Amino acid sequence: MPPYAPDLNPVEGIWPLLRRGWLSNVAFSAPEHLVQRIRRGPRHIQYRSDLIDGCLAETGLTIRPA
């Protein structure tokens, strides 16, 4: 495996979702406002299994129950 393989990392798919959704078209008034929005975004994504499944499918990897 290469030391960095973003195409095999499902987390890499989360950042575009945040940039297009929770972080788009926002004028941050303070650094704390940015931090607050960054923390809220993943909380909302974690309850959307379709988005998480899409990020996993994008890598071509599968989850096999143990």
Side-chain angles (χ1 to χ4, degrees), residues 1-10 59 61:
M1 283 289 263
Y4 178 65
D7 51 330
L8 297 177
N9 187 352
T59 66
L61 302 173

Side-chain angles (χ1 to χ4, degrees), residues 7 17 23 26-28 31 34 37 41 43 53-55 57 63 66:
D7 51 330
L17 292 173
L23 300 177
V26 177
F28 299 107
L34 172 64
R37 293 290 287 210
R43 287 186 195 142
D53 291 343
C55 291
I63 295 177

Side-chain angles (χ1 to χ4, degrees), residues 11-66:
V11 175
E12 293 292 334
I14 299 294
W15 287 111
L17 292 173
L18 290 175
R19 284 193 303 264
R20 286 188 311 248
W22 284 97
L23 300 177
S24 66
N25 297 322
V26 177
F28 299 107
S29 56
E32 295 80 21
H33 184 214
L34 172 64
V35 170
Q36 179 186 33
R37 293 290 287 210
I38 290 174
R39 287 186 178 159
R40 262 192 211 160
R43 287 186 195 142
H44 290 278
I45 290 172
Q46 76 182 6
Y47 297 111
R48 301 273 317 268
S49 61
D50 57 325
L51 293 177
I52 296 170
D53 291 343
C55 291
L56 183 63
E58 194 174 288
T59 66
L61 302 173
T62 58
I63 295 177
R64 291 187 216 150

